[in-house]
């Protein structure tokens, strides 16, 4: 069987759901049916997960008690049985926290277990008198509800069937992908220059620390030893992820699941809350994202780049920028992220070009390549910008004019944020004047209201805009200098400044971007665009 699947004690997902329904039901008969199936699971797999083991112990006593509720002679036996089940519940479910050196009471507080249940556990283990039966019954009921919320409900949405030999089966990898994304973002936050967390034990937020530990167990469990958090460094987790992460993506439609997890309604990548936590004012008043905010996603984006998922992610971001269903906030944030990612790809391209003819005894480390880049391009300040996989080439599609032409042709009011970076990746490079025209058109589409021109003037192509002037104004209490194109009057052949209907004689497919067929062609520009 594939290493991505686990042998489980239930026969199929329907059997698991029957147990879940029985546990959550108020009817004793349903609970008894669930207990019978749990005992079958115990026979199939003597070492059950802690959540199932604790549920079995508590449910077994509860069902037995409901059958002998009027038998006073069994009172002492039931107290012993309840005490044992509650003790096993506390020991099993709080074990992950107490293993870190915390007390049972602190562990119970962290996980949401009432502290009086811990008191019952102490009385059972150390006192000569067992707790009252009524109190033990209440503890059993609360413990079962806690297990339902913290174990059974968490796993319910991920329980699906896998049939051997079927390649197109819908495998529940969404959970793995979400865990992978959360893991990358959490590690990225830990490596932030302002946080500087070196190992897991230094993470101050208990919830975040527990989340990283759980994700590490799910994704990299067989490659990790988490017995001592002080010895588990963030750098080692990143190295293990980069080494074994590709195995987590060996399934159909991995790219679509990644994009949905990142860009969906619940995704963190375009989250307003996370952005404002790092840089609210920067997003509002600048055309660049705050470096500390970008750094939190550098590990994730590098992972996508290394594993050939970045191209589809870029295309998904571009689609968001012009989709009418995307909010203005998300469209702008997506376009600014595109600018950062495409700029980072240009850095990777420059490194690839420089190192193509260089011979290395061994693969150079990332920090060594960054030092080389700063030597090759003095003043580049590469340490303050997004840097992806420097040994990975840029996706060939983004270097092909035919591939990006539909992106340029799409009416997109946010294209001006990233069009220059997109054109900068083309190989061979686009003619300077043609690139300038495209960027100018994008700026005009993005903010037509900002260009003062007479009511009779109409803009048809980039040739209708001639020259530039400097516009100085006061904005948000600061002096802002803006370069604004000047608008020229349309040529005489346009009657009443309205488009003339084109004839069928024109070959629009050969027309350079930013031109119409009847306008004079710049020979040099046309040769580079074709």
């Amino acid at each position: 069987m594939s290493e991505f699947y686990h042998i489980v004690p239930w026969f199929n997902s329907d059997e698991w759901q029957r147990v879940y329904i029985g546990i959550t039901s108020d009817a004793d008969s349903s609970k008894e049916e669930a207990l019978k199936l749990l005992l079958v699971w115990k026979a199939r797999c003597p070492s059950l997960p802690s959540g199932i083991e604790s549920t079995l112990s508590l449910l077994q006593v509860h069902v037995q008690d409901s059958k002998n509720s009027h038998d006073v002679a069994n009172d002492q036996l039931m107290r012993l049985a309840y005490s044992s089940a509650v003790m096993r519940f506390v020991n099993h479910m709080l074990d992950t926290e107490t293993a870190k050196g915390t007390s049972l009471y602190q562990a119970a507080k962290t996980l949401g277990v009432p502290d009086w249940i811990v008191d019952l556990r102490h009385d059972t283990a150390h006192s000569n008198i067992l707790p009252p039966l009524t109190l033990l019954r209440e503890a059993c009921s609360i413990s079962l509800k806690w297990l339902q919320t913290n174990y059974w409900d968490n796993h319910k949405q991920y329980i699906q069937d896998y049939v051997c030999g079927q390649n197109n089966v819908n495998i529940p990898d969404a959970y793995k992908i979400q865990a992978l994304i959360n893991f990358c973002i959490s590690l990225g936050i830990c490596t932030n220059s302002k946080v500087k967390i070196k190992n897991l034990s230094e993470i101050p937020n208990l919830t975040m620390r527990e989340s990283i530990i759980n994700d590490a167990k799910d994704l990299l469990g067989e490659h990790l030893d988490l017995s001592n958090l002080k010895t588990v460094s963030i750098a080692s987790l990143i190295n293990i992820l980069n080494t074994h992460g590709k195995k987590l993506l060996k399934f159909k439609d991995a790219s679509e699941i990644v994009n949905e997890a990142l860009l969906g309604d619940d995704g963190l990548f375009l989250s307003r809350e996370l952005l404002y936590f790092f840089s609210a004012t920067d997003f509002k008043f600048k055309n660049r994202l705050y470096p500390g905010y970008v750094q939190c996603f550098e590990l994730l984006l590098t992972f996508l780049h290394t594993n050939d998922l970045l191209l589809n992610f870029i295309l998904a971001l571009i689609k968001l920028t012009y989709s009418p269903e995307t909010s203005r906030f998300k469209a702008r944030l997506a376009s600014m992220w595109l600018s950062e990612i495409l700029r980072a790809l240009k850095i990777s391209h420059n490194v690839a070009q420089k190192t193509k003819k260089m011979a290395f005894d061994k693969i150079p480390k990332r920090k060594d390549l960054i030092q080389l880049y700063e030597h090759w391009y003095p003043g580049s300040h590469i340490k303050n910008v997004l840097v992806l996989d420097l040994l990975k080439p840029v996706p060939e599609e983004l270097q092909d004019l035919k591939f990006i032409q539909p992106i340029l042709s799409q009416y997109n009011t946010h294209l001006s944020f990233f069009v220059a970076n997109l054109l900068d990746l083309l190989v061979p490079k686009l003619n300077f004047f043609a690139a300038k025209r495209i960027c100018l058109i994008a700026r005009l589409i993005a903010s037509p209201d900002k260009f003062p021109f007479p009511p009779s003037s109409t803009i048809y192509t980039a040739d209708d805009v001639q020259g530039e002037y400097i516009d100085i104004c006061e904005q948000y209490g600061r002096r802002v200098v803006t370069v604004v194109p000047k608008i020229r009057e349309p040529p005489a052949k346009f009657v009443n400044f309205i488009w003339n209907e084109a004839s069928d004689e024109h070959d629009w497919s050969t027309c350079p971007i930013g031109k119409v067929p009847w306008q004079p062609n710049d020979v040099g520009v046309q040769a580079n665009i074709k």
Side-chain angles (χ1 to χ4, degrees), residues 369-398:
L369 288 173
I370 290 177
Q371 290 178 354
L372 280 173
Y373 192 88
E374 290 179 333
H375 172 71
W376 294 327
Y377 301 94
S380 58
H381 305 294
I382 190 174
K383 293 181 180 178
N384 299 321
V385 299
L386 176 65
V387 180
L388 301 178
D389 189 343
L390 294 175
L391 296 174
K392 185 79 173 180
V394 176
E396 293 181 359
E397 292 85 349
L398 295 178

PDB file of all heavy atoms in Angstrom, residues 369-398:
ATOM      1  N   LEU A 369      24.728  31.853  -2.606  1.00  0.00           N
ATOM      2  CA  LEU A 369      24.205  32.410  -3.860  1.00  0.00           C
ATOM      3  C   LEU A 369      23.750  33.854  -3.661  1.00  0.00           C
ATOM      4  O   LEU A 369      23.916  34.693  -4.558  1.00  0.00           O
ATOM      5  CB  LEU A 369      23.043  31.553  -4.366  1.00  0.00           C
ATOM      6  CG  LEU A 369      23.420  30.180  -4.940  1.00  0.00           C
ATOM      7  CD1 LEU A 369      22.169  29.367  -5.238  1.00  0.00           C
ATOM      8  CD2 LEU A 369      24.258  30.330  -6.197  1.00  0.00           C
ATOM      9  N   ILE A 370      23.178  34.138  -2.499  1.00  0.00           N
ATOM     10  CA  ILE A 370      22.756  35.513  -2.213  1.00  0.00           C
ATOM     11  C   ILE A 370      23.965  36.442  -2.153  1.00  0.00           C
ATOM     12  O   ILE A 370      23.935  37.566  -2.681  1.00  0.00           O
ATOM     13  CB  ILE A 370      21.958  35.560  -0.894  1.00  0.00           C
ATOM     14  CG1 ILE A 370      20.595  34.878  -1.076  1.00  0.00           C
ATOM     15  CG2 ILE A 370      21.762  36.999  -0.418  1.00  0.00           C
ATOM     16  CD1 ILE A 370      19.766  34.806   0.179  1.00  0.00           C
ATOM     17  N   GLN A 371      25.049  35.984  -1.548  1.00  0.00           N
ATOM     18  CA  GLN A 371      26.271  36.783  -1.496  1.00  0.00           C
ATOM     19  C   GLN A 371      26.841  37.013  -2.896  1.00  0.00           C
ATOM     20  O   GLN A 371      27.300  38.114  -3.232  1.00  0.00           O
ATOM     21  CB  GLN A 371      27.306  36.099  -0.605  1.00  0.00           C
ATOM     22  CG  GLN A 371      26.951  36.125   0.882  1.00  0.00           C
ATOM     23  CD  GLN A 371      27.973  35.388   1.728  1.00  0.00           C
ATOM     24  OE1 GLN A 371      28.891  34.758   1.213  1.00  0.00           O
ATOM     25  NE2 GLN A 371      27.794  35.447   3.041  1.00  0.00           N
ATOM     26  N   LEU A 372      26.796  35.955  -3.720  1.00  0.00           N
ATOM     27  CA  LEU A 372      27.269  36.096  -5.097  1.00  0.00           C
ATOM     28  C   LEU A 372      26.408  37.103  -5.870  1.00  0.00           C
ATOM     29  O   LEU A 372      26.930  37.912  -6.641  1.00  0.00           O
ATOM     30  CB  LEU A 372      27.236  34.737  -5.801  1.00  0.00           C
ATOM     31  CG  LEU A 372      28.389  33.773  -5.509  1.00  0.00           C
ATOM     32  CD1 LEU A 372      28.112  32.416  -6.138  1.00  0.00           C
ATOM     33  CD2 LEU A 372      29.704  34.347  -6.023  1.00  0.00           C
ATOM     34  N   TYR A 373      25.099  37.048  -5.655  1.00  0.00           N
ATOM     35  CA  TYR A 373      24.187  37.961  -6.358  1.00  0.00           C
ATOM     36  C   TYR A 373      24.494  39.413  -5.996  1.00  0.00           C
ATOM     37  O   TYR A 373      24.503  40.296  -6.864  1.00  0.00           O
ATOM     38  CB  TYR A 373      22.742  37.620  -6.025  1.00  0.00           C
ATOM     39  CG  TYR A 373      21.735  38.317  -6.905  1.00  0.00           C
ATOM     40  CD1 TYR A 373      21.325  37.747  -8.102  1.00  0.00           C
ATOM     41  CD2 TYR A 373      21.202  39.554  -6.559  1.00  0.00           C
ATOM     42  CE1 TYR A 373      20.417  38.384  -8.930  1.00  0.00           C
ATOM     43  CE2 TYR A 373      20.287  40.205  -7.370  1.00  0.00           C
ATOM     44  CZ  TYR A 373      19.905  39.611  -8.556  1.00  0.00           C
ATOM     45  OH  TYR A 373      18.995  40.247  -9.369  1.00  0.00           O
ATOM     46  N   GLU A 374      24.735  39.658  -4.710  1.00  0.00           N
ATOM     47  CA  GLU A 374      25.046  41.022  -4.285  1.00  0.00           C
ATOM     48  C   GLU A 374      26.394  41.475  -4.858  1.00  0.00           C
ATOM     49  O   GLU A 374      26.618  42.676  -5.055  1.00  0.00           O
ATOM     50  CB  GLU A 374      25.058  41.086  -2.760  1.00  0.00           C
ATOM     51  CG  GLU A 374      23.669  40.928  -2.152  1.00  0.00           C
ATOM     52  CD  GLU A 374      23.685  40.961  -0.642  1.00  0.00           C
ATOM     53  OE1 GLU A 374      24.735  40.599  -0.060  1.00  0.00           O
ATOM     54  OE2 GLU A 374      22.660  41.342  -0.047  1.00  0.00           O
ATOM     55  N   HIS A 375      27.265  40.519  -5.110  1.00  0.00           N
ATOM     56  CA  HIS A 375      28.541  40.859  -5.761  1.00  0.00           C
ATOM     57  C   HIS A 375      28.320  41.170  -7.245  1.00  0.00           C
ATOM     58  O   HIS A 375      28.917  42.111  -7.786  1.00  0.00           O
ATOM     59  CB  HIS A 375      29.523  39.696  -5.605  1.00  0.00           C
ATOM     60  CG  HIS A 375      30.789  39.866  -6.390  1.00  0.00           C
ATOM     61  ND1 HIS A 375      31.763  40.783  -6.050  1.00  0.00           N
ATOM     62  CD2 HIS A 375      31.240  39.232  -7.520  1.00  0.00           C
ATOM     63  CE1 HIS A 375      32.753  40.718  -6.929  1.00  0.00           C
ATOM     64  NE2 HIS A 375      32.471  39.782  -7.825  1.00  0.00           N
ATOM     65  N   TRP A 376      27.466  40.387  -7.889  1.00  0.00           N
ATOM     66  CA  TRP A 376      27.190  40.607  -9.311  1.00  0.00           C
ATOM     67  C   TRP A 376      26.382  41.883  -9.545  1.00  0.00           C
ATOM     68  O   TRP A 376      26.574  42.581 -10.528  1.00  0.00           O
ATOM     69  CB  TRP A 376      26.407  39.420  -9.887  1.00  0.00           C
ATOM     70  CG  TRP A 376      27.181  38.137  -9.923  1.00  0.00           C
ATOM     71  CD1 TRP A 376      28.526  37.987 -10.118  1.00  0.00           C
ATOM     72  CD2 TRP A 376      26.655  36.820  -9.751  1.00  0.00           C
ATOM     73  NE1 TRP A 376      28.872  36.661 -10.081  1.00  0.00           N
ATOM     74  CE2 TRP A 376      27.745  35.906  -9.863  1.00  0.00           C
ATOM     75  CE3 TRP A 376      25.390  36.306  -9.512  1.00  0.00           C
ATOM     76  CZ2 TRP A 376      27.588  34.537  -9.742  1.00  0.00           C
ATOM     77  CZ3 TRP A 376      25.227  34.930  -9.393  1.00  0.00           C
ATOM     78  CH2 TRP A 376      26.315  34.050  -9.505  1.00  0.00           C
ATOM     79  N   TYR A 377      25.438  42.161  -8.642  1.00  0.00           N
ATOM     80  CA  TYR A 377      24.548  43.318  -8.796  1.00  0.00           C
ATOM     81  C   TYR A 377      24.654  44.194  -7.547  1.00  0.00           C
ATOM     82  O   TYR A 377      23.818  44.119  -6.646  1.00  0.00           O
ATOM     83  CB  TYR A 377      23.099  42.866  -8.994  1.00  0.00           C
ATOM     84  CG  TYR A 377      22.902  41.975 -10.198  1.00  0.00           C
ATOM     85  CD1 TYR A 377      22.925  40.584 -10.075  1.00  0.00           C
ATOM     86  CD2 TYR A 377      22.684  42.511 -11.461  1.00  0.00           C
ATOM     87  CE1 TYR A 377      22.747  39.754 -11.178  1.00  0.00           C
ATOM     88  CE2 TYR A 377      22.508  41.694 -12.573  1.00  0.00           C
ATOM     89  CZ  TYR A 377      22.539  40.318 -12.420  1.00  0.00           C
ATOM     90  OH  TYR A 377      22.353  39.503 -13.510  1.00  0.00           O
ATOM     91  N   PRO A 378      25.677  45.014  -7.462  1.00  0.00           N
ATOM     92  CA  PRO A 378      25.853  45.873  -6.275  1.00  0.00           C
ATOM     93  C   PRO A 378      24.645  46.783  -6.061  1.00  0.00           C
ATOM     94  O   PRO A 378      24.078  47.324  -7.013  1.00  0.00           O
ATOM     95  CB  PRO A 378      27.113  46.685  -6.620  1.00  0.00           C
ATOM     96  CG  PRO A 378      27.816  45.888  -7.671  1.00  0.00           C
ATOM     97  CD  PRO A 378      26.747  45.200  -8.453  1.00  0.00           C
ATOM     98  N   GLY A 379      24.265  46.934  -4.808  1.00  0.00           N
ATOM     99  CA  GLY A 379      23.128  47.784  -4.480  1.00  0.00           C
ATOM    100  C   GLY A 379      21.782  47.139  -4.708  1.00  0.00           C
ATOM    101  O   GLY A 379      20.743  47.814  -4.680  1.00  0.00           O
ATOM    102  N   SER A 380      21.722  45.818  -4.958  1.00  0.00           N
ATOM    103  CA  SER A 380      20.445  45.143  -5.225  1.00  0.00           C
ATOM    104  C   SER A 380      19.617  44.934  -3.968  1.00  0.00           C
ATOM    105  O   SER A 380      18.405  44.745  -4.045  1.00  0.00           O
ATOM    106  CB  SER A 380      20.704  43.786  -5.888  1.00  0.00           C
ATOM    107  OG  SER A 380      21.531  42.975  -5.061  1.00  0.00           O
ATOM    108  N   HIS A 381      20.271  44.920  -2.776  1.00  0.00           N
ATOM    109  CA  HIS A 381      19.568  44.739  -1.500  1.00  0.00           C
ATOM    110  C   HIS A 381      18.690  43.496  -1.525  1.00  0.00           C
ATOM    111  O   HIS A 381      17.519  43.519  -1.147  1.00  0.00           O
ATOM    112  CB  HIS A 381      18.713  45.970  -1.164  1.00  0.00           C
ATOM    113  CG  HIS A 381      19.489  47.247  -1.156  1.00  0.00           C
ATOM    114  ND1 HIS A 381      20.476  47.509  -0.228  1.00  0.00           N
ATOM    115  CD2 HIS A 381      19.434  48.330  -1.985  1.00  0.00           C
ATOM    116  CE1 HIS A 381      20.994  48.715  -0.464  1.00  0.00           C
ATOM    117  NE2 HIS A 381      20.389  49.233  -1.523  1.00  0.00           N
ATOM    118  N   ILE A 382      19.252  42.399  -1.982  1.00  0.00           N
ATOM    119  CA  ILE A 382      18.480  41.169  -2.147  1.00  0.00           C
ATOM    120  C   ILE A 382      17.971  40.619  -0.811  1.00  0.00           C
ATOM    121  O   ILE A 382      16.974  39.894  -0.750  1.00  0.00           O
ATOM    122  CB  ILE A 382      19.320  40.107  -2.892  1.00  0.00           C
ATOM    123  CG1 ILE A 382      18.460  38.899  -3.288  1.00  0.00           C
ATOM    124  CG2 ILE A 382      20.502  39.680  -2.060  1.00  0.00           C
ATOM    125  CD1 ILE A 382      19.192  37.890  -4.133  1.00  0.00           C
ATOM    126  N   LYS A 383      18.638  40.966   0.285  1.00  0.00           N
ATOM    127  CA  LYS A 383      18.227  40.454   1.586  1.00  0.00           C
ATOM    128  C   LYS A 383      16.909  41.050   2.056  1.00  0.00           C
ATOM    129  O   LYS A 383      16.276  40.528   2.975  1.00  0.00           O
ATOM    130  CB  LYS A 383      19.323  40.719   2.627  1.00  0.00           C
ATOM    131  CG  LYS A 383      20.602  39.926   2.387  1.00  0.00           C
ATOM    132  CD  LYS A 383      21.640  40.211   3.459  1.00  0.00           C
ATOM    133  CE  LYS A 383      22.919  39.411   3.200  1.00  0.00           C
ATOM    134  NZ  LYS A 383      23.956  39.697   4.206  1.00  0.00           N
ATOM    135  N   ASN A 384      16.487  42.137   1.449  1.00  0.00           N
ATOM    136  CA  ASN A 384      15.259  42.816   1.865  1.00  0.00           C
ATOM    137  C   ASN A 384      14.085  42.553   0.935  1.00  0.00           C
ATOM    138  O   ASN A 384      13.050  43.203   1.058  1.00  0.00           O
ATOM    139  CB  ASN A 384      15.513  44.331   1.960  1.00  0.00           C
ATOM    140  CG  ASN A 384      16.576  44.669   2.987  1.00  0.00           C
ATOM    141  OD1 ASN A 384      16.635  44.051   4.045  1.00  0.00           O
ATOM    142  ND2 ASN A 384      17.418  45.643   2.672  1.00  0.00           N
ATOM    143  N   VAL A 385      14.250  41.626  -0.003  1.00  0.00           N
ATOM    144  CA  VAL A 385      13.167  41.328  -0.945  1.00  0.00           C
ATOM    145  C   VAL A 385      12.883  39.835  -0.934  1.00  0.00           C
ATOM    146  O   VAL A 385      13.622  39.046  -0.352  1.00  0.00           O
ATOM    147  CB  VAL A 385      13.517  41.796  -2.374  1.00  0.00           C
ATOM    148  CG1 VAL A 385      13.738  43.288  -2.415  1.00  0.00           C
ATOM    149  CG2 VAL A 385      14.759  41.066  -2.882  1.00  0.00           C
ATOM    150  N   LEU A 386      11.801  39.458  -1.590  1.00  0.00           N
ATOM    151  CA  LEU A 386      11.440  38.044  -1.700  1.00  0.00           C
ATOM    152  C   LEU A 386      12.455  37.318  -2.566  1.00  0.00           C
ATOM    153  O   LEU A 386      12.788  37.752  -3.667  1.00  0.00           O
ATOM    154  CB  LEU A 386      10.046  37.920  -2.317  1.00  0.00           C
ATOM    155  CG  LEU A 386       9.531  36.504  -2.591  1.00  0.00           C
ATOM    156  CD1 LEU A 386       9.348  35.733  -1.283  1.00  0.00           C
ATOM    157  CD2 LEU A 386       8.206  36.566  -3.361  1.00  0.00           C
ATOM    158  N   VAL A 387      12.962  36.192  -2.063  1.00  0.00           N
ATOM    159  CA  VAL A 387      13.914  35.364  -2.809  1.00  0.00           C
ATOM    160  C   VAL A 387      13.376  33.937  -2.834  1.00  0.00           C
ATOM    161  O   VAL A 387      13.119  33.346  -1.791  1.00  0.00           O
ATOM    162  CB  VAL A 387      15.314  35.381  -2.160  1.00  0.00           C
ATOM    163  CG1 VAL A 387      16.267  34.509  -2.959  1.00  0.00           C
ATOM    164  CG2 VAL A 387      15.841  36.805  -2.067  1.00  0.00           C
ATOM    165  N   LEU A 388      13.211  33.383  -4.022  1.00  0.00           N
ATOM    166  CA  LEU A 388      12.683  32.027  -4.179  1.00  0.00           C
ATOM    167  C   LEU A 388      13.839  31.042  -4.344  1.00  0.00           C
ATOM    168  O   LEU A 388      14.944  31.295  -3.891  1.00  0.00           O
ATOM    169  CB  LEU A 388      11.723  31.989  -5.365  1.00  0.00           C
ATOM    170  CG  LEU A 388      10.521  32.942  -5.268  1.00  0.00           C
ATOM    171  CD1 LEU A 388       9.666  32.859  -6.522  1.00  0.00           C
ATOM    172  CD2 LEU A 388       9.682  32.644  -4.036  1.00  0.00           C
ATOM    173  N   ASP A 389      13.569  29.919  -4.978  1.00  0.00           N
ATOM    174  CA  ASP A 389      14.597  28.904  -5.205  1.00  0.00           C
ATOM    175  C   ASP A 389      15.561  29.423  -6.265  1.00  0.00           C
ATOM    176  O   ASP A 389      15.226  29.519  -7.444  1.00  0.00           O
ATOM    177  CB  ASP A 389      13.939  27.598  -5.660  1.00  0.00           C
ATOM    178  CG  ASP A 389      14.916  26.434  -5.714  1.00  0.00           C
ATOM    179  OD1 ASP A 389      16.138  26.687  -5.720  1.00  0.00           O
ATOM    180  OD2 ASP A 389      14.465  25.281  -5.732  1.00  0.00           O
ATOM    181  N   LEU A 390      16.796  29.741  -5.838  1.00  0.00           N
ATOM    182  CA  LEU A 390      17.759  30.351  -6.753  1.00  0.00           C
ATOM    183  C   LEU A 390      18.351  29.352  -7.740  1.00  0.00           C
ATOM    184  O   LEU A 390      19.024  29.750  -8.693  1.00  0.00           O
ATOM    185  CB  LEU A 390      18.874  31.015  -5.940  1.00  0.00           C
ATOM    186  CG  LEU A 390      18.436  32.217  -5.099  1.00  0.00           C
ATOM    187  CD1 LEU A 390      19.582  32.717  -4.245  1.00  0.00           C
ATOM    188  CD2 LEU A 390      17.898  33.338  -5.977  1.00  0.00           C
ATOM    189  N   LEU A 391      18.146  28.065  -7.498  1.00  0.00           N
ATOM    190  CA  LEU A 391      18.657  27.043  -8.417  1.00  0.00           C
ATOM    191  C   LEU A 391      17.580  26.514  -9.349  1.00  0.00           C
ATOM    192  O   LEU A 391      17.837  25.630 -10.159  1.00  0.00           O
ATOM    193  CB  LEU A 391      19.268  25.883  -7.620  1.00  0.00           C
ATOM    194  CG  LEU A 391      20.496  26.233  -6.772  1.00  0.00           C
ATOM    195  CD1 LEU A 391      20.911  25.044  -5.914  1.00  0.00           C
ATOM    196  CD2 LEU A 391      21.644  26.674  -7.662  1.00  0.00           C
ATOM    197  N   LYS A 392      16.381  27.043  -9.231  1.00  0.00           N
ATOM    198  CA  LYS A 392      15.249  26.588 -10.047  1.00  0.00           C
ATOM    199  C   LYS A 392      15.004  27.594 -11.169  1.00  0.00           C
ATOM    200  O   LYS A 392      14.874  28.790 -10.923  1.00  0.00           O
ATOM    201  CB  LYS A 392      13.997  26.471  -9.168  1.00  0.00           C
ATOM    202  CG  LYS A 392      12.786  25.900  -9.874  1.00  0.00           C
ATOM    203  CD  LYS A 392      12.876  24.398  -9.989  1.00  0.00           C
ATOM    204  CE  LYS A 392      11.592  23.822 -10.550  1.00  0.00           C
ATOM    205  NZ  LYS A 392      11.656  22.354 -10.666  1.00  0.00           N
ATOM    206  N   PRO A 393      14.934  27.147 -12.418  1.00  0.00           N
ATOM    207  CA  PRO A 393      14.691  28.097 -13.510  1.00  0.00           C
ATOM    208  C   PRO A 393      13.279  28.668 -13.482  1.00  0.00           C
ATOM    209  O   PRO A 393      12.374  28.095 -12.880  1.00  0.00           O
ATOM    210  CB  PRO A 393      14.917  27.241 -14.768  1.00  0.00           C
ATOM    211  CG  PRO A 393      14.636  25.835 -14.326  1.00  0.00           C
ATOM    212  CD  PRO A 393      15.086  25.763 -12.895  1.00  0.00           C
ATOM    213  N   VAL A 394      13.125  29.782 -14.141  1.00  0.00           N
ATOM    214  CA  VAL A 394      11.810  30.410 -14.282  1.00  0.00           C
ATOM    215  C   VAL A 394      10.941  29.540 -15.186  1.00  0.00           C
ATOM    216  O   VAL A 394      11.437  28.989 -16.176  1.00  0.00           O
ATOM    217  CB  VAL A 394      11.964  31.822 -14.887  1.00  0.00           C
ATOM    218  CG1 VAL A 394      10.607  32.456 -15.126  1.00  0.00           C
ATOM    219  CG2 VAL A 394      12.813  32.692 -13.976  1.00  0.00           C
ATOM    220  N   PRO A 395       9.656  29.355 -14.877  1.00  0.00           N
ATOM    221  CA  PRO A 395       8.787  28.589 -15.786  1.00  0.00           C
ATOM    222  C   PRO A 395       8.870  29.123 -17.209  1.00  0.00           C
ATOM    223  O   PRO A 395       8.733  30.331 -17.429  1.00  0.00           O
ATOM    224  CB  PRO A 395       7.392  28.799 -15.179  1.00  0.00           C
ATOM    225  CG  PRO A 395       7.632  29.050 -13.726  1.00  0.00           C
ATOM    226  CD  PRO A 395       8.928  29.799 -13.669  1.00  0.00           C
ATOM    227  N   GLU A 396       9.109  28.240 -18.154  1.00  0.00           N
ATOM    228  CA  GLU A 396       9.312  28.655 -19.544  1.00  0.00           C
ATOM    229  C   GLU A 396       8.121  29.429 -20.095  1.00  0.00           C
ATOM    230  O   GLU A 396       8.275  30.313 -20.935  1.00  0.00           O
ATOM    231  CB  GLU A 396       9.583  27.433 -20.412  1.00  0.00           C
ATOM    232  CG  GLU A 396      10.914  26.737 -20.100  1.00  0.00           C
ATOM    233  CD  GLU A 396      11.147  25.542 -20.994  1.00  0.00           C
ATOM    234  OE1 GLU A 396      10.257  25.254 -21.831  1.00  0.00           O
ATOM    235  OE2 GLU A 396      12.220  24.914 -20.879  1.00  0.00           O
ATOM    236  N   GLU A 397       6.922  29.099 -19.636  1.00  0.00           N
ATOM    237  CA  GLU A 397       5.719  29.757 -20.147  1.00  0.00           C
ATOM    238  C   GLU A 397       5.757  31.266 -19.909  1.00  0.00           C
ATOM    239  O   GLU A 397       5.297  32.058 -20.742  1.00  0.00           O
ATOM    240  CB  GLU A 397       4.472  29.161 -19.493  1.00  0.00           C
ATOM    241  CG  GLU A 397       4.177  27.719 -19.886  1.00  0.00           C
ATOM    242  CD  GLU A 397       4.928  26.711 -19.052  1.00  0.00           C
ATOM    243  OE1 GLU A 397       5.849  27.116 -18.305  1.00  0.00           O
ATOM    244  OE2 GLU A 397       4.605  25.518 -19.123  1.00  0.00           O
ATOM    245  N   LEU A 398       6.294  31.669 -18.750  1.00  0.00           N
ATOM    246  CA  LEU A 398       6.331  33.091 -18.416  1.00  0.00           C
ATOM    247  C   LEU A 398       7.381  33.850 -19.224  1.00  0.00           C
ATOM    248  O   LEU A 398       7.414  35.081 -19.195  1.00  0.00           O
ATOM    249  CB  LEU A 398       6.607  33.268 -16.920  1.00  0.00           C
ATOM    250  CG  LEU A 398       5.532  32.748 -15.970  1.00  0.00           C
ATOM    251  CD1 LEU A 398       5.946  32.949 -14.528  1.00  0.00           C
ATOM    252  CD2 LEU A 398       4.194  33.443 -16.230  1.00  0.00           C
TER     253      LEU A 398
END
